[in-house]
Amino acid sequence: MRLSAMGDVAMTVPVLRAFVKQYPTVKLTVISRPFFKPFFEGIPNLEFFAFDEKERHKGFLGLLRLFQDVKKLKIDAFADLHNVLRSKVVSLLFALSGKKRATVDKGREGKKELTRAENKIFKQLPTMFERHAKVFEELGFPVDLSHPEFPKKAILSAEITDLIGENYQKLIGIAPFAQYDSKVYPLDLMKDVIEKLAENKDQTILLFGGGKKEIDILNSLSEPFKNVINVAGKIKFQQELKLISNLDVMLSMDSGNAHIAAMLGVKVVTLWGATHPYAGFLPFNQSLENALTSDRNQYPKLPTSVYGNKMVEGYEDAMKTILPQQVVEKVVEQLS
């Protein structure tokens, strides 16, 4: 399995957890970047193979080496959960060597119909989790996702408890950024949300992000409040995963953090701008009611994009139709 962005990788985890539970005698090998290894720790019968995109597995010759490296593990079948050029090449090499293979159908046609401006077909498409399960079904392993199991909350290290304190009753995570601006809730409105949530002193609010610019913004958001803590850049990624597993709720954009929280069994409230959960990216095991979308009566062309990389003129303020009070009420509702 060759996977890319953080959200893409996180979305495979619940499916793989269900798979190993239903097929305990089958061994899985996940091929992905070394950075993502912590996602898969603790899953039985699963081995992680680090894809070295910078040296050993770089370029076409590197993919041939990757195929040879993985082939030594006595692979019987290849599941391509990413469906990009690199994964297609490796998948083809396995097929040529006589192995079964199956590739995820990303449903590009349906997504075009959902996001086009004219003759839009506004309907729920299969989720990525259903699409991943379909790949395994094609290989002879139907996967039932209706009874998910999640890892236990991780034990927090002294480093984390020193950072967040020990006197909290409820932990709320907020990840206010996304890869594209069209998916980011306006900063002034997010300030309002944080301010209202911070009024309850039993609630500790943890801000997540990365990169210098984001960290600076998160510092400015947390500064006025004792119970709002910016954790970005202060702990390693593995520690961050442990901290997320202890959250009572995560408030996130349509982004990787939403999928990470969901794969750990945390309740997630998501905010949607140019994109929409109907495209199949609602976080795993989460209710559609917890996905707050921009007003389609005011902005009828929504969703305008599958991934948020296309901004339609005049739609820059679409997310302002999601009111801070709505967001606060939805987060508080998940805590009760």
Side-chain angles (χ1 to χ4, degrees), residues 169-239:
Q169 287 182 24
K170 296 286 183 186
L171 276 183
I172 301 170
I174 299 182
F177 303 109
Q179 190 176 357
Y180 300 107
D181 289 345
S182 69
K183 301 202 290 186
V184 177
Y185 195 53
L187 203 58
D188 56 331
L189 301 187
M190 186 52 83
K191 275 183 185 170
D192 288 352
V193 170
I194 291 169
E195 199 172 308
K196 287 187 174 81
L197 289 171
E199 284 172 9
N200 185 338
K201 300 303 176 213
D202 292 334
Q203 294 170 179
T204 297
I205 297 144
L206 307 175
L207 306 182
F208 294 86
K212 187 178 184 314
K213 188 183 168 192
E214 289 186 6
I215 290 170
D216 289 345
I217 293 169
L218 295 176
N219 282 333
S220 70
L221 288 171
S222 63
E223 221 168 317
F225 312 100
K226 275 189 176 169
N227 58 337
V228 180
I229 299 155
N230 172 23
V231 299
K234 293 177 182 171
I235 50 176
K236 291 195 170 85
F237 182 57
Q238 210 158 353
Q239 297 279 63

Side-chain angles (χ1 to χ4, degrees), residues 59 90 117 124 127 138 140 158 179 187 192 277 288:
V90 179
Q124 174 73 61
T127 68
E138 284 175 32
Q179 190 176 357
L187 203 58
D192 288 352
L288 203 54

Side-chain angles (χ1 to χ4, degrees), residues 2 33 49-67 69 86 89-90:
R2 171 72 192 94
R33 293 181 182 133
F49 183 95
F51 170 71
D52 181 4
E53 65 183 326
K54 292 199 171 74
E55 289 182 19
R56 180 162 178 79
H57 304 130
K58 185 180 179 183
F60 181 71
L61 289 177
L63 292 180
L64 292 177
R65 275 194 291 270
L66 175 65
F67 167 65
D69 291 346
R86 284 197 287 209
V89 169
V90 179

Side-chain angles (χ1 to χ4, degrees), residues 58-314:
K58 185 180 179 183
F60 181 71
L61 289 177
L63 292 180
L64 292 177
R65 275 194 291 270
L66 175 65
F67 167 65
Q68 293 296 343
D69 291 346
V70 177
K71 198 177 158 194
K72 287 174 192 164
L73 304 174
K74 297 180 180 163
I75 300 294
D76 295 301
F78 188 83
D80 178 2
L81 300 185
H82 198 34
N83 193 356
V84 294
L85 187 58
R86 284 197 287 209
S87 63
K88 283 176 183 173
V89 169
V90 179
S91 178
L92 178 63
L93 291 170
F94 272 104
L96 292 173
S97 71
K99 303 299 181 188
K100 284 179 82 172
R101 62 156 177 173
T103 300
V104 69
D105 171 12
K106 289 188 170 177
R108 291 187 174 96
E109 199 51 46
K111 288 171 182 172
K112 269 184 202 163
E113 292 169 351
L114 177 68
T115 54
R116 66 192 178 197
E118 307 298 324
N119 304 317
K120 184 186 288 293
I121 300 176
F122 185 68
K123 68 173 185 182
Q124 174 73 61
L125 298 174
T127 68
M128 282 311 295
F129 311 102
E130 290 165 337
R131 294 185 190 278
H132 289 150
K134 186 90 177 145
V135 174
F136 290 111
E137 190 181 326
E138 284 175 32
L139 293 173
F141 300 95
V143 179
D144 179 6
L145 299 174
S146 61
H147 303 288
E149 284 187 8
F150 300 101
K152 288 179 180 169
K153 288 185 177 187
I155 294 164
L156 298 180
S157 66
E159 185 188 2
I160 297 176
T161 51
D162 286 349
L163 177 63
I164 68 169
E166 293 177 351
N167 299 325
Y168 59 85
Q169 287 182 24
K170 296 286 183 186
L171 276 183
I172 301 170
I174 299 182
F177 303 109
Q179 190 176 357
Y180 300 107
D181 289 345
S182 69
K183 301 202 290 186
V184 177
Y185 195 53
L187 203 58
D188 56 331
L189 301 187
M190 186 52 83
K191 275 183 185 170
D192 288 352
V193 170
I194 291 169
E195 199 172 308
K196 287 187 174 81
L197 289 171
E199 284 172 9
N200 185 338
K201 300 303 176 213
D202 292 334
Q203 294 170 179
T204 297
I205 297 144
L206 307 175
L207 306 182
F208 294 86
K212 187 178 184 314
K213 188 183 168 192
E214 289 186 6
I215 290 170
D216 289 345
I217 293 169
L218 295 176
N219 282 333
S220 70
L221 288 171
S222 63
E223 221 168 317
F225 312 100
K226 275 189 176 169
N227 58 337
V228 180
I229 299 155
N230 172 23
V231 299
K234 293 177 182 171
I235 50 176
K236 291 195 170 85
F237 182 57
Q238 210 158 353
Q239 297 279 63
E240 203 167 288
L241 292 180
K242 289 180 177 179
L243 182 51
I244 291 172
S245 83
N246 279 267
L247 296 178
D248 293 287
V249 62
M250 169 69 93
L251 169 62
S252 173
M253 307 304 106
D254 165 21
S255 71
N257 278 295
H259 296 296
I260 290 170
M263 81 178 189
L264 295 169
V266 174
K267 292 176 185 174
V268 185
V269 174
T270 42
L271 308 183
W272 302 73
T275 59
H276 196 280
Y278 274 13
F281 298 107
L282 182 72
F284 183 70
N285 202 42
Q286 305 295 323
S287 160
L288 203 54
E289 290 170 8
N290 290 351
L292 302 179
T293 56
S294 302
D295 189 346
R296 291 190 68 246
N297 291 323
Q298 275 181 253
Y299 295 95
K301 289 179 186 173
L302 290 173
T304 57
S305 173
V306 175
Y307 304 108
N309 51 336
K310 292 174 195 159
M311 176 73 89
V312 170
E313 198 177 335

